[in-house]
Amino acid sequence: VGCIAAEASNICESMSTCRFAQRVAQITNTARVNEELDPSLLIARLKKEVSDLKQEVKVARMSKEGEEPEAITPDVLEQCRALVQQYVAKGVGSNEPFLCGSIDRMRASFRILRDMCLEKEGSVQDPADEGRVAALESEIKKWKLEVAQRDQEIAVMVKMLTKQRAGERPFISARP
C-alpha cells in the first residue's frame, strides 16, 4: 500500500513512493515447511537404496564373479529378440526396467536392437511410398514455379512504384 498526494509540491515524493511500490510488488515469497527428518526413516531409505544398488551391481557382474558365463544359445537369442520386439512394439514404462537376466543377454539384446535399426535404415521403400514421394515432388515443383512467378510480379510492381516516386509519369493518376 502506498499513499501519494496529488499536490504539485509533493510530486517528487509521490513519484518516489510509486517507484518503491513497484519494486515491492515484484517481491515474491516462497514458503516451505521446516522438515525434520526422522533418523529411522532416513536410515531405512538409505538401506533400501543400498540394497537396490547391490542388486544392480550383482546383475552387472554376474558373469565375472566365479559364475560360468551364460552361453548364448539360439533359444536364448530368440528370447532376447522377442523381448526387444516387445520393447519396440509396445514400449516399456519409464519405471519398468528392461530385465533380461544377465549382462550377456543384455549385450545380445543391444546387438539385436542395433541390427533392427540398421535393417530399417537400409530397407528399400515400398513402391506405394515411391509413388507418394513422386507426387509430392511434383507438387513441390509446381509451388516453386508459382512462387517464382509471384516474385517476378512483385519485382515489376516494385520497379513501377520506384519510377513513380522518382517523379516520372505516374502509372495511376487521380485525374483523367
Side-chain angles (χ1 to χ4, degrees):
V1 176
C3 296
I4 60 171
E7 298 167 354
S9 63
N10 295 329
I11 292 248
C12 288
E13 188 67 29
S14 295
M15 288 178 61
S16 175
T17 301
C18 287
R19 285 189 202 111
F20 176 74
Q22 281 180 328
R23 287 193 309 269
V24 168
Q26 292 175 353
I27 296 173
T28 57
N29 291 330
T30 54
R32 60 187 166 109
V33 177
N34 289 335
E35 289 182 16
E36 287 188 30
L37 292 176
D38 184 18
S40 61
L41 291 176
L42 180 62
I43 291 171
R45 188 183 67 181
L46 291 174
K47 282 183 178 180
K48 182 181 180 333
E49 187 176 342
V50 167
S51 69
D52 290 344
L53 291 173
K54 281 182 180 180
Q55 186 177 6
E56 285 182 28
V57 168
K58 181 181 175 186
V59 168
R61 293 185 181 170
M62 192 171 289
S63 61
K64 293 181 183 177
E65 292 183 355
E67 294 179 14
E68 194 67 31
E70 180 183 7
I72 302 296
T73 63
D75 291 337
V76 170
L77 201 57
E78 196 55 42
Q79 289 174 354
C80 290
R81 184 178 314 283
L83 187 62
V84 169
Q85 287 174 345
Q86 175 189 355
Y87 178 80
V88 170
K90 290 192 256 178
V92 177
S94 61
N95 29 347
E96 185 177 333
F98 183 82
L99 296 176
C100 53
S102 71
I103 194 70
D104 294 327
R105 285 183 178 212
M106 180 71 79
R107 286 185 183 127
S109 297
F110 275 114
R111 275 189 235 110
I112 291 168
L113 184 61
R114 182 194 62 211
D115 293 343
M116 288 172 64
C117 291
L118 291 176
E119 285 176 15
K120 187 68 173 170
E121 277 183 10
S123 66
V124 179
Q125 289 183 348
D126 191 17
D129 289 343
E130 290 177 11
R132 207 171 34 221
V133 168
L136 289 173
E137 287 175 351
S138 168
E139 190 74 18
I140 289 171
K141 285 180 184 177
K142 183 180 93 172
W143 283 105
K144 283 183 178 180
L145 179 64
E146 190 169 331
V147 167
Q149 289 174 347
R150 297 285 187 244
D151 286 345
Q152 289 176 350
E153 292 172 3
I154 290 171
V156 168
M157 293 184 77
V158 167
K159 211 181 273 187
M160 289 172 42
L161 288 172
T162 55
K163 285 181 182 179
Q164 183 179 3
R165 286 186 182 162
E168 295 181 12
R169 188 179 130 231
F171 292 99
I172 303 172
S173 64
R175 293 182 240 153

